[in-house]
Amino acid sequence: MKTVKTPADTRSSSASSVPLWRLLQATASAVQAVRAGRSLTAQLQSVPQVLRPGVQALSFHALRQLGQATALRELLASKAPPPAADALLCTALALCWDEARAPYPVHTLVNQVVEAARQQRSTQVQSGFINACLRRFMREREVLVGQTSGNPQAQWNHPLWWIDRLQADHPDHWQALLKMAQTPAPMTLRVNRQHHSVQSYQDALAAQGWACKPVGADGLQLDKAVPVHQLPGFEQGHVSVQDAAAQIAAPLLLQGWDSQQPWHVLDACAAPGGKTGHILEISPQAQVLALDVDEERCARIHENLERLGVKAQVRGADASMPKTWWDGQPFDAILLDAPCTASGIVRRHPDVRWLRRPTDSAQLAQVQTQLLKTLWPLLKVGGRLLYCTCSVFKLEGDDVIQAFLQRNTDATLHPSPGHLMPGNVPRGRPVEDNQLGEHDGFYYALLEKRQV
């Protein structure tokens, strides 16, 4: 029986040797679940802990190559086999079509995929078919791969509608965006300025042999990811894991304000609480109301704030229904991190590209528009509302804000990053350039309410 170390974390004792076919079965189940509309994060929760690191690593690889794999399967078998067998076959092709980047020797992968098919009731009948397809692929690899070269979904490993939208929205950057989506995202930390300066925490990491570089006002980007429990002072709230683009929100919302004032702040869609915590690190006296429509996700907010040693009022409530939660006291500042397609974070969540549908952006833009309309009256004159999404689609960014400004003459747009392409975040003030680099894609618009 072929056994392997799980590829994601061979340092852990829980990642003991397991049959590769079991990892491949679970990975194919993850691919099948994503195709059926289930998020990879949710699917991984059902994977046994001993398999999870390896299945996550293989699933990320498979989903980043699923467009190419699907195109190859269509050449090998024009009629798709049943979903479980198709997922297993496409998983195999995704993992082995590029031999230089295959996580295991291709012959090993093929043998173990066939074994996985034989060991699973839902694919036993198709095990011979899967074997025949993969053996043919190994014989005709160069020709078959060449035949997919004109297929955009195979070339870019994204749905065609997604490719078309990026071309329309970002004609100068769409290819770079698609290429970047294929690379793992860096691990970035937010240093809690109540405990450390960025430099002192960088020194603490260096003392443990971990190299990093400053990003943004409070961030450090690690050269190599490490388990969070190994970070100095993590449990004491000295540092948090947060992408550099997401770290822009709190300092942009509060820039120029006295950090010792008890500002009345609403974080309207707060879970899991990263931006809420950052607001309170910058302005410890702020009176923050953190909302999330999901009660279970509110528990995550509580956990994160408790670890940081800061306090906010956390409520499970729908931000679009203020009658159920608002006490009538207007806010000095509102952070609206609105629901979106998450098209800016596909490096971290490669399943997103396959979960989304062409109509999702328009539907979510309606939700975003309604939230802006509902929350704007809750803001004081002279107050600020920061609208942001982790999307690079203009339908969920510029389009929403320009329409809002046309309807609300009491709203002024402050200098803001706008559509922030994945790029390098400079030190110091919030990012002002949109060059490609090492952070997630976001959209930011800072609005101020004026007297009319």
Side-chain angles (χ1 to χ4, degrees):
M1 181 73 70
K2 179 70 176 178
T3 60
V4 296
K5 291 282 188 179
T6 55
D9 190 1
T10 55
R11 298 165 296 182
S12 172
S13 60
S14 65
S16 56
S17 293
V18 295
L20 178 54
W21 62 262
R22 287 190 63 197
L23 290 176
L24 293 167
Q25 274 185 345
T27 300
S29 293
V31 170
Q32 184 180 354
V34 169
R35 283 176 159 178
R38 181 177 171 84
S39 78
L40 179 60
T41 300
Q43 178 66 20
L44 287 173
Q45 294 304 308
S46 64
V47 176
Q49 184 62 48
V50 69
L51 301 179
R52 197 173 299 167
V55 172
Q56 177 172 310
L58 290 173
S59 297
F60 272 45
H61 189 134
L63 291 167
R64 287 187 177 119
Q65 302 297 327
L66 191 57
Q68 177 69 60
T70 302
L72 288 169
R73 196 275 298 152
E74 290 171 352
L75 292 175
L76 293 165
S78 57
K79 182 179 179 181
D86 191 36
L88 188 56
L89 178 55
C90 285
T91 295
L93 291 167
L95 297 176
C96 73
W97 81 268
D98 184 349
E99 193 165 11
R101 291 187 292 178
Y104 301 102
V106 171
H107 283 280
T108 298
L109 279 169
V110 169
N111 289 336
Q112 291 295 291
V113 165
V114 174
E115 182 65 22
R118 291 170 179 161
Q119 293 281 349
Q120 188 167 264
R121 182 176 299 177
S122 61
T123 54
Q124 281 178 343
V125 173
Q126 289 84 30
S127 61
F129 164 79
I130 291 171
N131 183 48
C133 286
L134 292 176
R135 300 296 173 185
R136 179 189 165 196
F137 172 72
M138 292 173 69
R139 293 192 306 269
E140 304 175 23
R141 176 199 307 271
E142 187 174 342
V143 172
L144 290 167
V145 171
Q147 289 177 355
T148 66
S149 61
N151 183 328
Q153 293 187 142
Q155 179 183 2
W156 298 111
N157 286 291
H158 282 71
L160 185 59
W161 70 265
W162 188 302
I163 300 168
D164 290 343
R165 187 163 299 173
L166 287 183
Q167 285 181 298
D169 284 355
H170 308 290
D172 295 330
H173 295 310
W174 69 273
Q175 291 179 316
L177 286 169
L178 291 168
K179 289 177 181 177
M180 183 164 286
Q182 298 300 90
T183 62
M187 182 176 184
T188 304
L189 309 178
R190 185 187 78 237
V191 179
N192 187 342
R193 61 177 68 179
Q194 299 298 321
H195 293 277
H196 287 276
S197 67
V198 171
Q199 183 61 60
S200 67
Y201 198 81
Q202 185 177 14
D203 292 342
L205 292 178
Q208 297 201 22
W210 294 329
C212 59
K213 63 182 179 181
V215 290
D218 298 313
L220 289 170
Q221 182 181 299
L222 295 169
D223 287 3
K224 185 177 181 181
V226 301
V228 292
H229 66 270
Q230 295 183 18
L231 294 169
F234 179 80
E235 295 300 332
Q236 292 73 42
H238 295 188
V239 70
S240 299
V241 178
Q242 187 181 42
D243 181 74
Q247 291 185 37
I248 295 170
L252 184 60
L253 179 64
L254 301 174
Q255 64 180 334
W257 284 8
D258 184 350
S259 63
Q260 298 307 310
Q261 291 296 313
W263 304 111
H264 190 204
V265 180
L266 170 65
D267 190 348
C269 304
K275 297 180 182 69
T276 310
H278 199 188
I279 288 171
L280 289 163
E281 290 170 10
I282 293 172
S283 187
Q285 304 305 316
Q287 305 298 307
V288 179
L289 172 60
L291 301 181
D292 199 88
V293 70
D294 188 329
E295 291 280 2
E296 291 185 6
R297 284 167 58 82
C298 284
R300 291 283 308 282
I301 303 175
H302 280 294
E303 291 170 4
N304 280 320
L305 297 184
E306 183 176 359
R307 184 182 62 81
L308 293 171
V310 297
K311 293 184 178 180
Q313 182 185 4
V314 180
R315 293 192 60 177
D318 188 339
S320 68
M321 301 175 64
K323 288 183 179 180
T324 65
W325 54 264
W326 188 42
D327 62 5
Q329 297 298 313
F331 294 96
D332 296 296
I334 296 175
L335 172 59
L336 175 54
D337 187 358
C340 70
T341 57
S343 59
I345 58 173
V346 286
R347 296 177 71 188
R348 300 182 190 280
H349 300 280
D351 54 327
V352 165
R353 69 192 79 176
W354 308 116
L355 291 170
R356 297 292 175 252
R357 299 294 179 264
T359 56
D360 287 350
S361 281
Q363 292 172 354
L364 285 162
Q366 292 178 359
V367 173
Q368 295 152 5
T369 297
Q370 184 59 42
L371 282 168
L372 278 168
K373 179 181 178 181
T374 301
L375 297 177
W376 188 248
L378 280 54
L379 189 66
K380 290 180 179 178
V381 172
R384 298 171 179 171
L385 185 151
L386 179 61
Y387 171 84
C388 58
T389 65
C390 55
S391 177
V392 294
F393 295 148
K394 288 192 174 180
L395 196 58
E396 303 171 70
D398 271 348
D399 290 358
V400 169
I401 291 301
Q402 292 306 318
F404 178 81
L405 291 170
Q406 290 178 8
R407 291 191 299 268
N408 295 271
T409 57
D410 59 345
T412 300
L413 179 63
H414 277 248
S416 308
H419 280 284
L420 179 63
M421 297 300 95
N424 292 318
V425 180
R427 297 184 63 177
R429 295 195 59 180
V431 66
E432 295 178 356
D433 67 357
N434 281 5
Q435 299 304 307
L436 299 175
E438 288 301 307
H439 60 70
D440 292 341
F442 256 77
Y443 177 81
Y444 283 105
L446 182 63
L447 304 167
E448 182 173 324
K449 180 179 280 191
R450 63 187 177 187
Q451 189 74 50
V452 290

